[in-house]
Amino acid sequence: MITIIDYNAGNIRSVLRACAEAGSEAMTTNDPKVVVKAEKIIFPGVGAAPSAMEYLKKTGLDTAIKNAFMSSVPILGICLGAQIILEGSEEGPQECLGLVPGKTVRFKIDDKTLKIPHMGWNEVRVVKSHPLLDGVKKGDEFYFVHSYYPSPTDKQNIYATADYGGDFCCALGYKNLFAVQFHPEKSGRLGLQMLEKFTRWNP
Amino acid sequence: MLSKRLVICLDVRGGKLAKSIRFVDTKDIGDPVAKARQYYEEGVDELVFYDITASRENRDIMIDFVEKAASQIFIPFSVGGGIRSVEDATKLRNAGAEKVNVNTAAVLRKELISEIADAIGSQSTILSMDIRRVPPTEKIPSGYEIVVNGGITPMGIDALWWAKEGERLGAGELVVNSIDADGTNNGYELKLTRMLAEAVGIPVIASGGAGKPEHLYDVLTEGRADAALVASIVHYGEYTCRQLKEYLHGRGIKMRMSY
């Protein structure tokens, strides 16, 4: 059973539906007591880091997620959920969860023809193999909508990059955590394949 | 780099496919979700469901429809037609639409664009514009005027001004629909599309006039569009999504080819 964290950050039902399509049993919760006992966690989210962190702290979900991570529960972060797992974000002065050393940064693009947010289908280039990226081939594209991206301190933690006015990290892995900046739940067959692999991932 | 997008529009009436669309595969008549699912599997990059009744009574049916579509389609899709308030937009978004299209209601009260953008984000707020060619005047210097009611009612608003104003108010994307080109199958209005695409910093979806794959190529290159919207050429079975995408890819346009 996958536990999807509902923390008032965008529509998480699309993730729930995609899990169902991928054949994975899933539920949503905003209860920290449920989160600490989860077998597997998807940490999704769309929106701004400051308000998301505020909500997580207020509800105690921040501690629950940290504890689940420490006790080796497999976690998949998506979009905002791939950003606030780092220590901080350029989006605001707040402290983030700090599961992985690093910071979330904003696109700094000189090319005025490249619009922010980076929105649409873009190629995900695997730079280091990972069970969740199995089957992702050269030229495979995923759906992105974002203005910030995760930048882990240790570049060894970067598993895939995409190019938008330069390469940026779009998939990072650290211990029992894997996180993607794109939206597997909106990326068609390839995204569903990744969710399916997550259900079978036992780090 | 981002890929260019192939977008397919489906007209929906009371949760059913509009009768005006004559599908080749008659089994699918009446079920827009099944048709959308087929296009999804064939590799379309994005879908638009357009509620052609757009009556207030129909809102709940449309929400229900969006829920069904969202459980079958795992790519982004937008919903348009009759969105008059932030509440309409939020409900559709919560039901599973990635984006919503506003048109007439925004022309009548432009603040609606910023209200929706504040509620669900600019990236989810699309401004659709129906545009017709007119002789340039002091009021319409670009020679392109905004029309509503399916192209019947001229609004005395310059399309170039409206595109920039829409962006300023928070629209994250524009649909540029040429009433003159619509239904002709003679190709998109390239001059109009290019003029608006060069005037704004947000993506432009070209609409109206696609009859051949070359037309898509032209609007994505010469027309500077980020996405090409089609309807009848795929609904009538003249071309499949795959054929269109392979044609564009073959001519060097970056398209999503693995799906």
Side-chain angles (χ1 to χ4, degrees):
Chain A
M1 175 68 83
I2 294 173
T3 301
I4 302 169
I5 300 176
D6 179 1
Y7 61 111
N8 205 20
N11 181 14
I12 57 154
R13 280 161 69 208
S14 55
V15 179
L16 189 63
R17 288 178 178 125
C19 284
E21 180 76 6
S24 318
E25 262 191 281
M27 54 171 276
T28 65
T29 187
N30 62 356
D31 183 350
K33 292 196 285 293
V34 176
V35 171
V36 284
K37 286 190 202 142
E39 286 169 48
K40 279 193 174 160
I41 292 172
I42 293 182
F43 185 38
V46 175
S51 56
M53 278 311 300
E54 196 183 316
Y55 186 90
L56 290 173
K57 280 192 181 138
K58 195 177 72 191
T59 53
L61 281 167
D62 59 337
T63 312
I65 295 166
K66 283 181 203 168
N67 287 343
F69 174 68
M70 298 299 279
S71 51
S72 300
V73 177
I75 301 176
L76 174 63
I78 297 173
C79 196
L80 184 61
Q83 298 177 357
I84 57 182
I85 51 169
L86 299 169
E87 295 160 310
S89 169
E90 287 183 359
E91 205 170 1
Q94 78 295 326
E95 217 176 273
C96 293
L97 294 173
L99 308 185
V100 190
K103 198 177 178 189
T104 294
V105 296
R106 188 173 162 87
F107 277 115
K108 290 169 197 73
I109 300 173
D110 297 328
D111 184 348
K112 289 280 178 277
T113 64
L114 296 180
K115 296 143 190 179
I116 295 173
H118 169 234
M119 177 174 75
W121 295 92
N122 204 339
E123 185 180 345
V124 167
R125 296 168 177 158
V126 178
V127 294
K128 193 173 166 183
S129 68
H130 189 281
L132 294 193
L133 293 170
D134 265 2
V136 178
K137 299 182 300 296
K138 192 177 182 307
D140 284 355
E141 298 184 14
F142 289 77
Y143 189 74
F144 290 84
V145 188
H146 64 122
S147 304
Y148 294 81
Y149 61 87
S151 177
T153 309
D154 183 353
K155 301 305 169 202
Q156 288 299 311
N157 294 332
I158 298 176
Y159 283 80
T161 61
D163 172 22
Y164 195 63
D167 285 349
F168 69 92
C169 167
C170 68
L172 67 98
Y174 183 60
K175 299 178 181 169
N176 46 308
L177 172 78
F178 193 72
V180 291
Q181 181 56 61
F182 51 83
H183 289 271
E185 77 281 13
K186 303 254 182 210
S187 295
R189 182 184 58 81
L190 293 170
L192 297 174
Q193 171 186 290
M194 180 173 290
L195 293 174
E196 197 267 326
K197 287 188 189 301
F198 178 61
T199 59
R200 292 189 283 115
W201 184 44
N202 292 305
Chain B
M1 284 300 298
L2 287 171
S3 288
K4 299 282 186 179
R5 285 170 283 156
L6 174 68
V7 180
I8 296 181
C9 182
L10 292 148
D11 286 343
V12 180
R13 181 193 290 142
K16 299 274 197 292
L17 266 180
K19 281 179 193 154
S20 57
I21 298 171
R22 294 160 288 146
F23 290 109
V24 169
D25 185 356
T26 52
K27 277 183 305 203
D28 286 336
I29 279 184
D31 187 0
V33 175
K35 200 70 194 171
R37 173 79 188 196
Q38 179 199 323
Y39 292 141
Y40 157 69
E41 287 172 357
E42 287 172 4
V44 70
D45 300 307
E46 197 165 313
L47 289 157
V48 182
F49 295 106
Y50 198 77
D51 177 10
I52 58 169
T53 47
S55 63
R56 286 182 198 277
E57 310 79 73
N58 200 38
R59 293 282 87 183
D60 291 344
I61 299 173
M62 203 58 193
I63 299 286
D64 185 48
F65 167 79
V66 170
E67 299 256 2
K68 285 199 189 95
S71 65
Q72 291 291 314
I73 297 158
F74 300 94
I75 53 167
F77 68 86
S78 68
V79 179
I83 294 163
R84 296 180 180 90
S85 65
V86 173
E87 196 197 352
D88 290 341
T90 310
K91 275 189 183 165
L92 291 166
R93 171 95 173 114
N94 290 344
E98 174 75 9
K99 312 172 186 181
V100 298
N101 288 268
V102 291
N103 188 336
T104 308
V107 175
L108 299 176
R109 196 177 67 82
K110 65 179 186 179
E111 294 73 21
L112 180 63
I113 298 171
S114 24
E115 290 165 12
I116 293 178
D118 284 346
I120 64 171
S122 277
Q123 78 286 346
S124 292
T125 307
I126 306 180
L127 175 61
S128 280
M129 308 190 296
D130 291 330
I131 301 164
R132 70 167 190 183
R133 216 179 297 125
V134 292
T137 58
E138 207 176 303
K139 208 172 175 193
I140 317 281
S142 74
Y144 288 100
E145 183 178 20
I146 296 295
V147 291
V148 298
N149 290 333
I152 303 165
T153 314
M155 297 304 289
I157 296 170
D158 189 285
L160 180 57
W161 175 82
W162 183 228
K164 291 186 203 160
E165 185 68 358
E167 178 183 26
R168 189 187 68 79
L169 289 164
E173 202 158 47
L174 298 179
V175 173
V176 175
N177 184 43
S178 164
I179 294 293
D180 305 299
D182 198 19
T184 64
N185 292 352
N186 287 332
Y188 297 91
E189 239 276 25
L190 299 181
K191 187 173 157 237
L192 167 69
T193 310
R194 180 172 184 144
M195 178 180 75
L196 298 190
E198 286 180 341
V200 297
I202 52 179
V204 164
I205 302 174
S207 164
K212 290 191 290 190
E214 291 89 318
H215 296 151
L216 280 76
Y217 176 81
D218 291 343
V219 86
L220 294 172
T221 51
E222 202 185 325
R224 302 280 167 95
D226 297 277
L229 183 146
V230 299
S232 56
I233 63 164
V234 289
H235 295 332
Y236 299 161
E238 286 169 69
Y239 296 96
T240 64
C241 285
R242 181 169 280 278
Q243 283 171 324
L244 293 174
K245 292 185 80 166
E246 278 175 358
Y247 173 84
L248 294 168
H249 177 69
R251 290 194 66 184
I253 299 213
K254 189 173 182 298
M255 301 295 292
R256 178 177 70 110
M257 296 310 293
S258 181
Y259 36 81

